[in-house]
Amino acid sequence: MGRHSLPDSHAAEGRRDHPSPRRRRRTVAIATLLVLTVATGTAVAARTGLLSFSRSCEESAVRLSVVASPDIAPAVRSIAEQAPEEELRTDGRCLVVEVLARDSHKVAESLAAGDEKPDFQVWLPDSELWLERAKGFGEGIPVSPSDSVASSPVALAMVPSASRKLGWPEKTYSWAESVAALGSDRVRLGAADPARSATGLLALVGIGASSARQGGDSDTRVARTAKVLAERMSDGDAQVLETLARSTSGAEEGNPKRNQAVLISEQAAFAHNAEATGEGKLDLFYPQDGTPLLDYPYTLVNEADLSVAESRAALRFMTLLGDRDARAAFAEHGFRAGDGSAKDSLVAAAGGRKPQPYAAPAAEAPSAKELQETLGMWTITVQSARLTTVVDASGSMATLVPGRGQSRMDVTKESLIQALGQFTPNDEIGLWEFATALDGDKDYRRLMPTKRLGDPVGGGTHREKLTAAFAGLQPVPGGATGLYDTTLASYKEARSTYRKGKFNALVILTDGSNQDERSISRSGLIAELKELRDPERPVPVIAIAVGPDADRDEVAEIARVTGGDGYEVSDPAEIQAVILQAIMAAGQNGLAAQE
């Protein structure tokens, strides 16, 4: 029996009775956005006779374009294809839905750039983490998310010979323990690039949170894990499964280029096992401290520019994706319901077995800050960085930070020392300070050269000496802000000492605008930087305006000439997170290491 035309406000049958607070807020938000459209659409339909079913579908069809993550696109397309066949209607007009498969990270980058109007009205990324990425810095195409249409937990899949070594399915592990067990048993582990894969990023965040709960030096453990993953990293989710051993032969499983374990979604394992036979099927470990979910949020794109018909059609299709037939279609493709629930038969087909905790509640979704910090850590850990840090030492850095009882300089130093802990011995970091007339006629002074943190220096390491140099920074009484001359001089040195194969950047922190009347002008500085910039040897400036007296627009204008950007923090304690975010953003903009 075919589906019938229903009012668009009709609740999808079988949807979750108790959505999470965040999901409930998303539902309310999109309902509020559409309520006026719904009312207007009904009035228009009544006036134009579109509620009549006398016209053919071809003459009156409303067309909707949906871009979906490649893993869920086939399921969504199978549901959409039934709409014209069964004359599914929205306000009496037939609904025709085109479903296009596109990588979520590419769609997010395109929306964040906002360069051109999207050719689709609905987006189904594999994770809501891409929604934050799509926002960019507030200048992109707006998105309006609603409920999840499906979900799939992130898990650890292994070939049977490897899973037996680790005691599957009786033995259970936390995220941190599973990674440690893989290392001790020398099971080769592969994953997708966390900068391009929600699966890879959520797994890395899960490993980090699990390591933190273990106590001790969790940052070092996570960085070490990131290094291991980077050595066997694939560009995307589709490529990860291709890295597994192609047969159970000793030669193939012993091939050092072949992985024995991979971080993938349950749905990806389901799809793999559907085509594999015997020992070619994968076994799944579900970490006992909770598996994060890919949550596939139904998202309107550029909602304010949608026509009445498009808005109504989008709401109608969202309702359709939540009905009983659609849920069955998603399950046939290996997806769980939006709340994470699934039948045992789906889990078994994906490689899960009891007592693996596959029915346990999903891990709490990471915050935007946690995601940014993890991506920043990934970038600097995997790439190896060369950063020159240039810190404002003008007298205003002695100003107390409200609510802290510490000066801007004291909080800045603490944040820089914390950030230093995220870097590996192979990273190169140096330190300059600046004010006015700090070194003769120069506004700047180099305190530590930019060199490897692990290099031996005077009975210690460069990291130890640099930490001491950070701790020793002090505001210069009466010193003003010599920003322009310092920026030009430090950029010239960073350019001349550029290291191939590393992420080269200049990090400038200032709490004020340029106050040196004898320095180069802003226009002169920008012209010089334009002349010095070399796309083949990029050195982006990451300029951070600290406190209410700093001018973000000024530092952003200067930084963008080099391919970098400007940032603003009201509290210097935020500097660590901003540096990691800026490094990640620069890497995504094509300013990563040049080989």
Side-chain angles (χ1 to χ4, degrees):
M1 184 174 179
R3 300 187 183 97
H4 301 285
S5 181
L6 297 172
D8 289 337
S9 58
H10 180 76
E13 182 182 356
R15 295 174 78 173
R16 300 195 306 276
D17 294 326
H18 304 287
S20 68
R22 176 164 52 186
R23 298 266 163 71
R24 189 180 297 116
R25 286 195 293 271
R26 290 208 311 229
T27 304
V28 170
I30 196 168
T32 302
L33 287 169
L34 290 176
V35 67
L36 293 178
T37 303
V38 169
T40 304
T42 303
V44 170
R47 289 198 305 271
T48 59
L50 292 180
L51 288 176
S52 169
F53 284 67
S54 59
R55 291 187 182 183
S56 71
C57 278
E58 278 300 315
E59 292 175 347
S60 64
V62 179
R63 300 184 182 278
L64 187 70
S65 183
V66 178
V67 163
S69 175
D71 53 347
I72 203 170
V76 177
R77 189 175 294 117
S78 72
I79 298 167
E81 286 172 351
Q82 298 303 311
E85 292 178 11
E86 301 179 8
E87 295 195 1
L88 182 76
R89 296 175 183 270
T90 171
D91 283 336
R93 301 172 65 181
C94 285
L95 177 61
V96 177
V97 182
E98 176 189 34
V99 181
L100 306 171
R102 293 182 189 170
D103 291 331
S104 297
H105 76 93
K106 293 180 180 178
V107 178
E109 290 165 7
S110 175
L111 293 175
D115 294 333
E116 55 186 49
K117 184 178 179 180
D119 59 353
F120 53 96
Q121 297 82 42
V122 176
W123 180 31
L124 270 173
D126 57 5
S127 171
E128 68 177 357
L129 68 85
W130 300 115
L131 303 179
E132 192 69 28
R133 187 85 62 86
K135 293 177 183 177
F137 294 101
E139 300 175 358
I141 304 296
V143 294
S144 306
S146 184
D147 277 354
S148 298
V149 302
S151 67
S152 188
V154 176
L156 180 60
M158 294 190 194
V159 298
S161 59
S163 69
R164 285 192 290 268
K165 285 184 182 179
L166 271 67
W168 179 90
E170 286 78 15
K171 179 68 174 175
T172 59
Y173 300 88
S174 67
W175 277 107
E177 289 169 345
S178 65
V179 172
L182 290 173
S184 63
D185 285 282
R186 297 176 181 171
V187 175
R188 295 182 293 276
L189 173 64
D193 183 354
R196 301 176 181 179
S197 162
T199 303
L201 180 55
L202 289 172
L204 194 57
V205 172
I207 293 167
S210 184
S211 294
R213 287 190 290 271
Q214 283 189 331
D217 191 1
S218 61
D219 289 341
T220 298
R221 290 199 300 271
V222 176
R224 189 181 303 119
T225 300
K227 283 287 190 186
V228 171
L229 292 177
E231 291 173 1
R232 312 191 71 83
M233 182 182 69
S234 299
D235 286 343
D237 296 322
Q239 291 76 30
V240 173
L241 287 166
E242 297 174 4
T243 67
L244 289 167
R246 295 174 179 173
S247 71
T248 57
S249 69
E252 183 66 8
E253 290 198 353
N255 185 342
K257 294 183 179 180
R258 294 290 174 198
N259 289 319
Q260 300 156 294
V262 288
L263 293 166
I264 57 174
S265 70
E266 180 185 75
Q267 190 278 332
F270 178 98
H272 173 88
N273 286 350
E275 298 182 358
T277 59
E279 289 287 297
K281 292 181 180 290
L282 296 171
D283 298 327
L284 283 189
F285 280 90
Y286 297 80
Q288 62 187 10
D289 45 0
T291 55
L293 288 177
L294 299 178
D295 58 354
Y296 305 93
Y298 189 89
T299 306
L300 295 186
V301 177
N302 213 12
E303 189 271 342
D305 286 353
L306 297 183
S307 68
V308 169
E310 288 172 336
S311 294
R312 295 282 287 168
L315 181 58
R316 184 67 184 91
F317 190 55
M318 181 177 73
T319 303
L320 176 64
L321 291 179
D323 74 13
R324 181 184 290 114
D325 289 345
R327 293 199 309 274
F330 284 129
E332 288 173 3
H333 285 79
F335 291 97
R336 296 189 178 200
D339 63 358
S341 62
K343 293 182 177 180
D344 287 350
S345 57
L346 185 154
V347 175
R353 296 286 190 281
K354 290 181 179 179
Q356 287 297 313
Y358 57 77
E364 184 177 352
S367 67
K369 180 181 179 182
E370 288 173 314
L371 292 170
Q372 289 172 353
E373 290 181 348
T374 301
L375 273 174
M377 180 277 296
W378 169 261
T379 302
I380 61 178
T381 299
V382 171
Q383 266 191 358
S384 188
R386 177 178 171 80
L387 308 177
T388 300
T389 311
V390 184
V391 180
D392 189 343
S394 59
S396 57
M397 288 292 283
T399 304
L400 292 179
V401 176
R404 283 190 169 270
Q406 293 177 290
S407 69
R408 291 175 185 169
M409 180 63 88
D410 287 337
V411 180
T412 295
K413 292 189 296 187
E414 289 181 3
S415 192
L416 287 172
I417 291 171
Q418 288 177 357
L420 192 60
Q422 297 279 348
F423 294 86
T424 71
N426 286 325
D427 294 312
E428 301 179 23
I429 301 180
L431 174 64
W432 290 32
E433 64 175 348
F434 71 97
T436 48
L438 195 59
D439 184 12
D441 292 333
K442 296 178 181 177
D443 292 340
Y444 48 85
R445 179 163 51 205
R446 188 178 72 174
L447 299 180
M448 294 293 293
T450 303
K451 59 190 297 184
R452 288 180 70 257
L453 292 175
D455 283 354
V457 178
T461 64
H462 182 60
R463 182 192 296 273
E464 293 167 345
K465 300 297 182 183
L466 185 60
T467 300
F470 279 143
L473 288 169
Q474 296 294 332
V476 177
T481 306
L483 179 62
Y484 294 165
D485 280 354
T486 301
T487 299
L488 182 58
S490 57
Y491 189 80
K492 284 182 176 179
E493 176 164 300
R495 281 277 294 104
S496 66
T497 58
Y498 180 89
R499 287 282 191 275
K500 256 184 124 174
K502 289 184 177 287
F503 173 78
N504 292 251
L506 191 64
V507 180
I508 299 178
L509 299 99
T510 181
D511 73 341
S513 300
N514 184 69
Q515 298 172 320
D516 185 353
E517 297 179 353
R518 296 179 298 176
S519 75
I520 190 173
S521 66
R522 187 194 300 189
S523 59
L525 170 62
I526 290 174
E528 288 260 18
L529 293 176
K530 283 182 179 178
E531 186 70 24
L532 288 167
R533 183 183 178 187
D534 181 357
E536 299 300 316
R537 296 161 61 89
V539 183
V541 170
I542 297 169
I544 303 176
V546 182
D549 301 325
D551 187 341
R552 177 184 175 178
D553 291 338
E554 177 183 50
V555 297
E557 182 182 8
I558 294 168
R560 287 170 185 163
V561 174
T562 68
D565 208 343
Y567 301 82
E568 182 177 15
V569 296
S570 57
D571 187 337
E574 301 168 4
I575 289 172
Q576 175 193 9
V578 169
I579 289 176
L580 298 178
Q581 176 189 356
I583 290 173
M584 179 268 292
Q588 289 177 335
N589 291 334
L591 299 175
Q594 302 292 310
E595 299 297 340

